[in-house]
Structures are given as C-alpha cells and as structure tokens.
Amino acid sequence: PYLFTLVYVITCYKNPFSVTGAPGQCPDLCHCHSDLLHVICFNVKLKKIPRVSETTQLLNLQRNNLGNIPTGAFSDSKGLISLHMQNCQLREIGSQAFKGLTKLAYLYLSNNEITTIKPGAFEDLTGLTYLYLDGNQITELAKGLFSPMINLFILQLNNNRLRELRPGTFTGAKDLRWLHMANNTLTTLQPGSLDEVENLAILHLDGNRMATYPIAAMSKLRVVEELTLSRNPMKTLPDLAFQSFGRYMERLYLDNMGLEKFSDGAFTGVTAIKSLYLDNNRLRTLPRSLEYGTLTNLTLFNNPWTCSCSLAPLKKWMDTTRIRTDALCASPAQQKGRQVRDSSAFSSCRPKQKKNRGKTKGTRQ
C-alpha cells in the first residue's frame, strides 16, 4: 500500500494544478491528478477536511492539523479507495465518520493522538482490508467496533495504550489474518477475546505487560504462523501452550522475557517450527516436548544453561546442523563458560530409548 501511494504522489507532482471550490474541483492548496482520481494535500496546513469529488480514489491528507473526524466528513467522497491521514493531530473519530465509504480498502490513521473512537465510527467500511491505527493513545476498543469490516485483513494497533482485550472486540472481522498489538500495556487477553478471529496467521503481542500466558484466549486460534511474545514478563509457559496452532507455527519469539522455565509439554503439537528466539532469558534447560528437526534458526544466548543430560537433545541437534548457535554453560562449575556444543558434560548421557512395541513372534525367510 505504501508503494501504491508513493507512485501516485510522484504522479501528482508531475502533473499538478490547484483549483479551490466544491467537489468536482481540486481543493485549494492541494495537488491533483488531471482527472481528480488522486488528490494530494500533504503538509499544506489544512485545518478542515476538504471536500473532494465522488470520482476521487486516493486522498492524501498527511501532516495537517485536523483535530477530529466529524460525522459524515467524507459524504461527498464515496469513490475513495485509499485514505491517508497519518500525522494529522487527530484526537477523536466521530460516529459515522466514514459513512458512505463502502469502497474504501486502505485507511491510514497512524501517528496521531487518537484517544476516542465513537461507536459506529467505522460504519459502512465493508470493503476495508487494511486499517492502521498504530502510534495513537487508544486505551480500549468498544465491543463490535470492527463489526462492519467483514473483509479486514490487516489491523495495526501497535504503540497504543490498550490494557486488555475483551470478548466481542473483533466481532464481524472473521477474515482478519494479521493482528499487531505490540507495545501496548496489555495485562490480559480475556477468554473469548480472540474467538472471532480464529484464522489469524500473524499475531504480535510483544512489548506488553502480560505476566501469564493467556492460554484460554489463545486456544481458539487455529493457524498462527508467527507469534511474538517478546518483552512480556512471563516466567513460565504452560503445557499445550501452542497446541491448537502448532502444526502451522513457523516463527516464535520468546526473547527478553525473563522466562525461567517451560512446562515439559509446552511444545506439544508444535511440528513445523523453523525459527525460535529464546535469547536474553533465565532458562536453564529446555522441555522434552521441543522437537528440533524442523529448526533452521535458534537463538539461545544470554541464558544460564545447565549443561546436563536434560540438554542432550539440544547438543545432539547442534552436532548435526550447520547452524552456529551461541549458548554458554553456566553450570556445573567445571563447564561454566564453555559453549554447549563443545561441552564434555554430555559424553555419558544415554540416548532416549524408543518404546518397545512388542517382540516379533517369528521371521520370514
């Protein structure tokens, strides 16, 4: 979408003309493509949202001081497909602010001062696929706020002040695939809060304040490929933490958490993981349920590893891969400071015995 915008910004500046007046004319101070399909009002000190033609498809209002989006602000702009309002000092989005914009696919509201989104603010946005609300001051999301957005694909909520997610938050947004909520103040995801978006593929929750893994909310997810939990103060991860989407998860970020241990069954059902980030924690060992066969990237540095037979599966994987993973033994004392892959602590460890499924009664010659 950003490349899409850039192409048209360049085009508009190659063919600019300005005409003040009502819809059907290029707004004063703005630059327009010759057929008014694209209207660029970038950083021209606008105080109000200009009226543009119903034929306009792209409207760029970035870096103006607009304050709020009142009801019906775009009632004359029903042909809009892409609307850019980043860095406009917006504080409030009024009810029915985007009324009539059924064709809108891209809505950028990043880096404003939005604290309030009135109920019904997103009414009529049935065609929206990309919504960017990152870099604002949003503390809560009203139940059903996104319900008109039956085609929403990406939702950006990074760098806000969200404290919790409640059931019904994403009602209607059943096709949401990418949900970014990094760098908020989330302490909990209530059970049921992700039920309506069970098809999420990418979920970013890093940089929040969750001390407990929200297993009840996460267990409804089915196809998560990338999950980031970095920089949440979780000390432990429970059994079956990722089981509901373990067949699909390829990238898992658990770094910089103060993580001390996994329950032995934490990775039960995880069969496709390629990248696992565990650096900068307080881990001493890894759970038996972790399978190494699919890993192509594993970070382990800055953890106080105990080089004993519990880490033998990790050592075996290190011996059979070209990946150079930095992991130092912290104990026992005679191994302290040595790389796990070079440690002699595993020489007497017995390989895991396969279960005997019963003796064969006879052999065929």
Side-chain angles (χ1 to χ4, degrees), residues 177-180 199-204 223-227 251:
R177 296 283 285 164
W178 294 14
L179 177 57
H180 298 262
N199 292 317
L200 283 178
I202 293 179
L203 177 57
H204 288 186
V223 291
V224 175
E225 298 170 13
E226 178 175 297
L227 174 62
R251 298 173 297 280

Side-chain angles (χ1 to χ4, degrees), residues 152-165:
L152 191 61
F153 187 84
I154 294 178
L155 176 56
Q156 274 277 5
L157 287 163
N158 291 344
N159 299 294
N160 276 281
R161 298 181 181 179
L162 295 171
R163 295 185 291 264
E164 65 175 353
L165 278 190

Side-chain angles (χ1 to χ4, degrees), residues 92-141:
E92 181 177 295
I93 303 176
S95 178
Q96 299 185 331
F98 304 102
K99 187 170 178 59
L101 299 187
T102 57
K103 296 180 181 179
L104 195 68
Y106 305 94
L107 177 55
Y108 300 93
L109 297 166
S110 309
N111 302 318
N112 282 291
E113 301 163 18
I114 298 169
T115 57
T116 305
I117 304 176
K118 296 285 189 180
F122 299 130
E123 185 177 323
D124 284 354
L125 296 185
T126 54
L128 201 72
T129 51
Y130 299 87
L131 175 58
Y132 289 78
L133 284 164
D134 49 303
N136 282 287
Q137 299 177 31
I138 301 166
T139 58
E140 61 180 333
L141 301 168

Side-chain angles (χ1 to χ4, degrees), residues 250 273-276 292-298 317 321 323 325:
E250 296 184 355
I273 193 160
K274 295 180 180 178
S275 296
L276 176 59
Y292 298 87
T294 56
L295 282 170
T296 57
N297 189 23
L298 175 63
W317 174 78
T321 182
I323 302 167
T325 302

Side-chain angles (χ1 to χ4, degrees), residues 176-353:
L176 190 65
R177 296 283 285 164
W178 294 14
L179 177 57
H180 298 262
M181 294 187 292
N183 303 316
N184 278 274
T185 58
L186 290 168
T187 57
T188 184
L189 309 183
Q190 290 189 9
S193 58
L194 297 174
D195 283 10
E196 292 91 351
V197 288
E198 65 176 19
N199 292 317
L200 283 178
I202 293 179
L203 177 57
H204 288 186
L205 293 165
D206 44 308
N208 280 286
R209 299 180 183 177
M210 292 185 290
T212 303
Y213 182 75
I215 191 165
M218 301 291 286
S219 64
K220 297 297 183 181
L221 301 177
R222 294 287 175 262
V223 291
V224 175
E225 298 170 13
E226 178 175 297
L227 174 62
T228 67
L229 293 168
S230 314
R231 295 178 290 112
N232 278 279
M234 296 180 195
K235 292 185 178 181
T236 64
L237 284 174
D239 287 334
L240 311 179
F242 317 110
Q243 186 181 40
S244 65
F245 47 87
R247 291 179 301 154
Y248 297 90
M249 186 170 65
E250 296 184 355
R251 298 173 297 280
L252 177 60
Y253 295 78
L254 299 173
D255 54 286
N256 296 280
M257 296 173 65
L259 194 59
E260 295 177 0
K261 66 173 294 187
F262 296 94
S263 293
D264 248 353
F267 285 89
T268 298
V270 177
T271 58
I273 193 160
K274 295 180 180 178
S275 296
L276 176 59
Y277 300 87
L278 298 173
D279 51 279
N280 295 299
N281 283 301
R282 298 173 187 169
L283 293 168
R284 297 181 179 277
T285 190
L286 291 170
R288 285 180 290 182
S289 56
L290 177 59
E291 299 287 344
Y292 298 87
T294 56
L295 282 170
T296 57
N297 189 23
L298 175 63
T299 65
L300 300 169
F301 58 87
N302 289 341
N303 281 283
W305 299 110
T306 296
C307 287
S308 66
C309 290
S310 62
L311 279 186
L314 171 64
K315 173 64 162 62
K316 182 179 179 181
W317 174 78
M318 288 179 168
D319 289 342
T320 57
T321 182
R322 295 182 179 180
I323 302 167
R324 300 291 287 178
T325 302
D326 182 34
L328 295 178
C329 303
S331 62
Q334 62 268 32
Q335 300 295 327
K336 187 174 181 179
R338 292 187 181 181
Q339 289 284 348
V340 171
R341 63 176 172 267
D342 299 326
S343 172
S344 59
F346 308 99
S347 57
S348 61
C349 295
R350 293 182 178 181
K352 187 188 294 185
Q353 296 293 318

